[in-house]
Amino acid sequence: MRICFVLASTGNGGLEKHVRELSNELSNLGHYVSVVAPKIFLATLAAQVEKRPINVNRSRFNPLLLVSVLMQLRAVKPDIIHAQANKAATLVGILRFFLTCPTVATLHNIKTNIEPYLKFNHIICVSNQLANLFKHLTNDFKNHPITVIYNGIEPPVLHQLDLKSKFSLPKNYPVICAVGRLVEAKGFDVLLDAIDGLPVSLMIVGDGPERKKLEAKIKILDPITSCKCLGYQADSLNLMHSADAVIISSRREGFSYVLNEALLAGAKVLATDVPVANEVLPLQLIVPTQNPQALREKLVYLLNNINEWNTLMKPAQSFANQHMTLANMAQNTVTVYEQLLNTQSPNKTS
């Protein structure tokens, strides 16, 4: 197939990771893949992926941006156009009457306005919670074709690390790892409140605008608690694999890539009630969001009952190995494309 992705983001988070890895994998599978996106993102793609730059530093309704996207799409002549996230979905949705092939859009995060997605022939959601958003729309859209495809990663090659020696951590403390971009949504401040005064070592892996605020909060933790803000670490999966546990303390998520990575790294996980943790982990490993006391109590219990924690993790780890790999994500996406090409005519929405 000739597949064209449209991405209108200038960030470098889970959305971009998804598009990058899916584009590269589909290209490796023999499909002709083009990506219409900002230059800064295109530079991260594999050599065999066709790169078509656009300037997204304009409103999604800006005529110049719309014309530039349309010109790139017409030049590609794709079999499928796949818009990734809200801005790209809005752009392609506006242009749909000028397009001659079926369109797909992926919803990556909870949004207040999801109407633009209903202009597409098919919607992909990265979690069941996101798919459920469409059930609250009018009856006209309840049967709109929607498929849930969990994000997937390449199964990692793992190495056990001596974290206590590597990062000068207390020898007799369990090591907890928390990974992600240092932003308010990830709830690292909630996690710090939860562990304050506990005899544990916390490694916060990642960088972002909240780093200084978090480092200031770390300085006033009870001295019994060890915490280090490590910044970006290229081997974060090995850190999760080698830690005693991984904590996800997010306030909100569309899809937690950290959960995916932690499960494939064989880690024990405790998470707040966010996608996709609340769809994969057992209820015993889910705590309310923004509730440091509940997080603290559950963490203390699990650290004192490691065998029970290991047992609770086994079904989720098995599920991840079967359903949350890059190969599985790519194949499920291709299946959507094939069904769409076989059953629907261009620009027809249900």
Side-chain angles (χ1 to χ4, degrees):
M1 281 180 280
R2 295 180 65 88
I3 303 161
C4 183
F5 290 104
V6 181
L7 176 69
S9 165
T10 56
N12 188 28
L15 165 61
E16 292 75 24
K17 175 183 174 69
H18 169 91
V19 180
R20 179 185 307 112
E21 296 186 354
L22 181 57
S23 299
N24 293 344
E25 180 69 6
L26 292 177
S27 180
N28 289 337
L29 292 174
H31 301 285
Y32 187 89
V33 179
S34 300
V35 179
V36 177
K39 281 185 179 180
I40 191 171
F41 174 77
L42 295 177
T44 69
L45 297 175
Q48 69 270 22
V49 175
E50 183 186 28
K51 304 164 183 67
R52 292 190 167 270
I54 53 172
N55 179 4
V56 298
N57 295 321
R58 303 184 178 106
S59 161
R60 63 193 65 190
F61 303 107
N62 185 292
L64 293 176
L65 176 56
L66 288 163
V67 169
S68 67
V69 172
L70 180 60
M71 290 177 63
Q72 295 287 23
L73 294 176
R74 285 183 167 176
V76 173
K77 298 180 181 178
D79 298 313
I80 290 282
I81 295 171
H82 190 159
Q84 297 281 351
N86 266 41
K87 188 169 183 178
T90 301
L91 292 168
V92 176
I94 292 171
L95 297 171
R96 69 193 186 283
F97 295 113
F98 304 99
L99 305 174
T100 58
C101 69
T103 57
V104 178
T106 295
L107 178 63
H108 288 268
N109 288 289
I110 294 173
K111 298 293 182 182
T112 55
N113 180 19
I114 55 175
E115 296 280 345
Y117 290 85
L118 299 171
K119 298 174 181 177
F120 286 76
N121 301 111
H122 203 102
I123 302 166
I124 294 174
C125 296
V126 298
S127 71
N128 286 307
Q129 183 168 329
L130 293 180
N132 288 337
L133 295 175
F134 292 94
K135 293 183 179 179
H136 301 293
L137 298 176
T138 64
N139 288 331
D140 293 339
F141 300 123
K142 283 188 175 179
N143 295 320
H144 197 95
I146 300 172
T147 301
V148 175
I149 301 178
Y150 288 148
N151 290 335
I153 64 170
E154 191 71 41
V157 177
L158 300 167
H159 303 284
Q160 187 70 29
L161 304 175
D162 183 350
L163 299 178
K164 294 178 181 180
S165 296
K166 182 178 178 66
F167 296 108
S168 301
L169 304 176
K171 298 296 183 183
N172 59 334
Y173 283 9
V175 179
I176 299 165
C177 188
V179 181
R181 182 161 163 75
L182 305 187
V183 293
E184 185 265 350
K186 300 299 181 182
F188 291 109
D189 57 322
V190 177
L191 177 54
L192 290 175
D193 287 338
I195 66 162
D196 193 5
L198 295 180
V200 298
S201 293
L202 171 64
M203 305 184 306
I204 297 178
V205 180
D207 214 336
E210 293 282 303
R211 180 165 183 171
K212 288 186 178 180
K213 186 183 295 185
L214 292 171
E215 288 176 336
K217 194 173 182 69
I218 290 169
K219 288 180 180 179
I220 60 173
L221 290 177
D222 189 303
I224 197 174
T225 302
S226 170
C227 181
K228 294 193 174 184
C229 200
L230 302 180
Y232 170 77
Q233 299 286 319
D235 60 346
S236 60
L237 272 80
N238 283 323
L239 298 181
M240 288 190 277
H241 172 67
S242 304
D244 293 293
V246 172
I247 308 296
I248 297 170
S249 53
S250 300
R251 290 179 165 88
R252 54 190 177 274
E253 292 277 359
F255 180 96
S256 174
Y257 257 112
V258 172
L259 174 75
N260 193 341
E261 293 168 345
L263 291 176
L264 291 179
K268 294 185 288 294
V269 183
L270 174 61
T272 50
D273 190 7
V274 295
V276 70
N278 56 12
E279 300 174 18
V280 176
L281 293 176
L283 290 176
Q284 298 96 315
L285 300 180
I286 300 294
V287 297
T289 59
Q290 300 193 92
N291 190 330
Q293 186 60 34
L295 181 56
R296 179 189 185 91
E297 290 174 2
K298 181 64 73 170
L299 176 60
V300 170
Y301 174 83
L302 291 170
L303 288 174
N304 286 320
N305 294 273
I306 292 297
N307 289 337
E308 179 182 346
W309 200 350
N310 281 324
T311 300
L312 288 169
M313 287 304 308
K314 287 180 180 178
Q317 291 167 346
S318 177
F319 180 89
N321 279 289
Q322 294 178 47
H323 301 288
M324 300 173 75
T325 64
L326 179 58
N328 188 266
M329 176 179 71
Q331 184 53 59
N332 287 339
T333 304
V334 169
T335 298
V336 168
Y337 296 161
E338 290 174 340
Q339 291 174 346
L340 186 55
L341 289 170
N342 290 334
T343 62
Q344 288 192 308
S345 60
N347 296 320
K348 176 186 175 184
T349 55
S350 300

